[in-house]
Amino acid sequence: MNPIICHTALEAISLIKSGETLWTHSMGATPQLLLDALAQHALTRSNLTLLQLHTEHAESLSHPSLKNHLRHRCYFGGAPTRKLLQQGEADYVPIFLSEVPKMFRSGEQKIDTAIIQVSPPDKHGICSLGISVEATLAACQVADKIIAHINPMMPRTHGDGFIHYNNLTAVFEQSKALPQHVIDSSDKTSQAIGRHVATLVRDGDCLQMGIGAIPDAVLSCLCGHKNLGVHTELFSDGVLNLVELGAINNSRKKVHPGKTVTGFALGSQRLYDFVDDNPSVIFMDIEQVNDTAIIRKNPNVMSINSALQVDISGQVCADSIGTQIYSGVGGQMDFIRGAGLSEGGRSVIALPSTALNGTVSRIATVLSPGAGVVTTRAHVHYIVTEYGCAYLRGKSLKERARALIDIAHPKFREQLCQETFEMWRLQL
């Protein structure tokens, strides 16, 4: 059945009725034009729920006028939703990213309408979800309606992210540049952390890393490495130079050898040009990408993630600042556990030693009240700051405290030692 061809984004979005549960395509594929239209349309509807991961340029949906019309339900917070989450005006769902598609497919979470952005159909009538497959493929498979922005500027990527034009309910076509996320990793702290993490990476490792200054700083230090692979939830521009240098060739992987595997990408136009029609990069369903049983099949998995706070026992808070929700659980534990089970695998949590312009130590005696433990102290291998690496696996609480205080900012070390004795009765 052919989709309804709409002349405006609002015309397409007008198919949404009161009481519906919606899913929006996320990350760099956030369908901004359709979401801006939804912000307008929602004022004429009530009790809409918008399921989402991190979105880009979707601030229009956070306007106060939408209260009682649309409520955000976030599996991962981002700039457009963070304030709402912290004010209790949006809902945060802590969940491993790998389990989001499972909830959709099992029917545990119903979806009435999926709002997506795709490439134009090819000669076979097949569109591509482009630079972001994540949980959107699963959402499209179960949604009653699919409303799509067909964007000629969306790269056509290989992997799982295909949807037939005839499966779309309504379409609206317009060229629009995708969000670009250019990262500056040249600051001294990120570079120092990058150098420390790079010493832990071995030739032939299979890398998982996030987006940000620290992952890019790590990647910039790996130019001399050989036979690296990539099986990651997401990647950005930092990977490109290593591919061009031949440092990343995916030759040692057991799962999808020769292929860079990801769930989504977010970066510069150079990155989007690189993944366009590139069979060496496959964008896969995040239920597969982040499946611990699949991750562990690759040998020497090296998982590199970040955190907001770590306590001296090794508990890792990555989704909140105290009770204030900042981001989400995401795939950190999916990959830390997968790396831990991989033959020769290791995991790293990398973070600056301080926050708030050096006034707060991110390595704390105890986590802030309400802080979310995303990675337990039993799962942690390495914690890295600009002051060095602390190896915690198999270490006692006393040994962990000593190692972590040694990589805390020097001005906080004496205080941490004193508090560790007072709170934990550990004599260091």
Side-chain angles (χ1 to χ4, degrees):
M1 184 173 176
N2 292 329
I4 301 168
I5 298 174
C6 302
H7 299 291
T8 66
L10 185 59
E11 183 184 350
I13 287 293
S14 67
L15 295 175
I16 294 171
K17 300 180 177 67
S18 293
E20 287 197 17
T21 297
L22 318 172
W23 168 263
T24 177
H25 211 164
S26 302
M27 319 304 174
T30 302
Q32 182 187 347
L33 295 179
L34 289 174
L35 295 187
D36 287 347
L38 177 61
Q40 183 179 346
H41 177 67
L43 293 172
T44 69
R45 297 292 185 264
S46 60
N47 298 320
L48 296 176
T49 300
L50 184 65
L51 310 175
Q52 64 202 271
L53 295 167
H54 168 88
T55 53
E56 292 280 323
H57 305 316
E59 284 78 8
S60 62
L61 285 171
S62 299
H63 195 275
S65 63
L66 288 171
K67 190 174 181 179
N68 301 322
H69 294 279
L70 179 145
R71 189 168 179 92
H72 298 267
R73 188 172 178 87
C74 305
Y75 300 113
F76 201 95
T81 56
R82 195 166 288 140
K83 185 176 179 181
L84 294 176
L85 288 167
Q86 294 175 358
Q87 292 174 342
E89 294 177 359
D91 297 311
Y92 169 55
V93 181
I95 188 170
F96 297 138
L97 184 54
S98 59
E99 294 185 349
V100 177
K102 293 180 182 179
M103 283 207 314
F104 297 166
R105 292 186 171 114
S106 70
E108 185 178 352
Q109 174 60 67
K110 179 174 171 51
I111 298 174
D112 296 299
T113 301
I115 304 170
I116 64 174
Q117 183 175 194
V118 296
S119 72
D122 64 9
K123 63 182 181 181
H124 306 290
I126 297 173
C127 303
S128 168
L129 292 173
I131 59 172
S132 197
V133 172
E134 20 86 12
T136 294
L137 178 67
C140 289
Q141 290 170 344
V142 303
D144 295 331
K145 300 190 294 291
I146 303 172
I147 298 173
H149 169 198
I150 295 178
N151 186 357
M153 298 186 74
M154 174 64 79
R156 184 175 189 80
T157 59
H158 291 244
D160 292 336
F162 295 116
I163 183 168
H164 200 281
Y165 180 77
N166 288 343
N167 290 335
L168 305 175
T169 307
V171 298
F172 157 72
E173 182 165 353
Q174 181 176 320
S175 287
K176 181 173 175 56
L178 298 175
Q180 296 194 29
H181 199 77
V182 181
I183 297 160
D184 181 9
S185 60
S186 62
D187 65 282
K188 291 182 179 180
T189 299
S190 296
Q191 284 294 312
I193 295 170
R195 287 191 295 271
H196 289 307
V197 175
T199 65
L200 304 175
V201 179
R202 303 188 292 243
D203 287 348
D205 278 352
C206 181
L207 304 177
Q208 174 263 327
M209 76 299 291
I211 288 177
I214 291 174
D216 273 13
V218 174
L219 293 167
S220 71
C221 297
L222 300 179
C223 297
H225 281 63
K226 299 176 182 177
N227 300 318
L228 297 173
V230 175
H231 181 111
T232 186
E233 178 180 308
L234 67 156
F235 77 97
S236 189
D237 287 68
V239 166
L240 298 188
N241 289 337
L242 295 181
V243 171
E244 291 171 357
L245 289 169
I248 291 175
N249 59 22
N250 295 295
S251 62
R252 302 288 177 87
K253 292 168 57 179
K254 296 292 179 64
V255 181
H256 301 295
K259 309 282 188 182
T260 290
V261 173
T262 190
F264 55 95
L266 182 62
S268 69
Q269 188 59 47
R270 177 183 172 225
L271 178 73
Y272 302 151
D273 291 341
F274 172 75
V275 302
D276 184 39
D277 196 27
N278 186 343
S280 72
V281 183
I282 51 177
F283 287 73
M284 298 185 65
D285 184 335
I286 213 70
E287 184 177 340
Q288 298 295 313
V289 175
N290 285 35
D291 186 335
T292 297
I294 293 174
I295 295 166
R296 69 180 297 181
K297 290 180 181 178
N298 283 316
N300 303 306
V301 172
M302 182 58 160
S303 170
I304 304 166
N305 289 281
S306 59
L308 295 167
Q309 190 182 40
V310 178
D311 76 11
I312 57 90
S313 76
Q315 294 188 111
V316 176
C317 171
D319 66 347
S320 68
I321 301 171
T323 59
Q324 300 292 295
I325 300 303
Y326 186 81
S327 53
V329 172
Q332 182 172 121
M333 267 302 302
D334 293 331
F335 276 94
I336 284 182
R337 191 61 182 146
L341 294 169
S342 160
E343 182 180 352
R346 292 94 63 222
S347 64
V348 172
I349 296 291
L351 72 165
S353 64
T354 63
L356 299 177
N357 297 316
T359 61
V360 175
S361 176
R362 287 180 184 259
I363 293 177
T365 317
V366 293
L367 295 179
S368 300
V373 177
V374 168
T375 296
T376 77
R377 53 195 174 204
H379 287 101
V380 169
H381 289 190
Y382 290 95
I383 305 289
V384 178
T385 73
E386 68 269 33
Y387 292 101
C389 306
Y391 184 59
L392 305 189
R393 191 180 188 203
K395 304 298 184 184
S396 69
L397 291 180
K398 181 176 179 179
E399 291 165 338
R400 287 161 177 256
R402 181 70 271 169
L404 285 167
I405 291 171
D406 284 345
I407 64 167
H409 193 286
K411 71 179 179 181
F412 292 107
R413 292 176 188 172
E414 184 177 346
Q415 176 187 343
L416 287 168
C417 285
Q418 181 178 344
E419 290 177 354
T420 296
F421 177 73
E422 292 171 354
M423 296 182 182
W424 294 82
R425 312 313 295 174
L426 297 174
Q427 184 74 53
L428 303 178

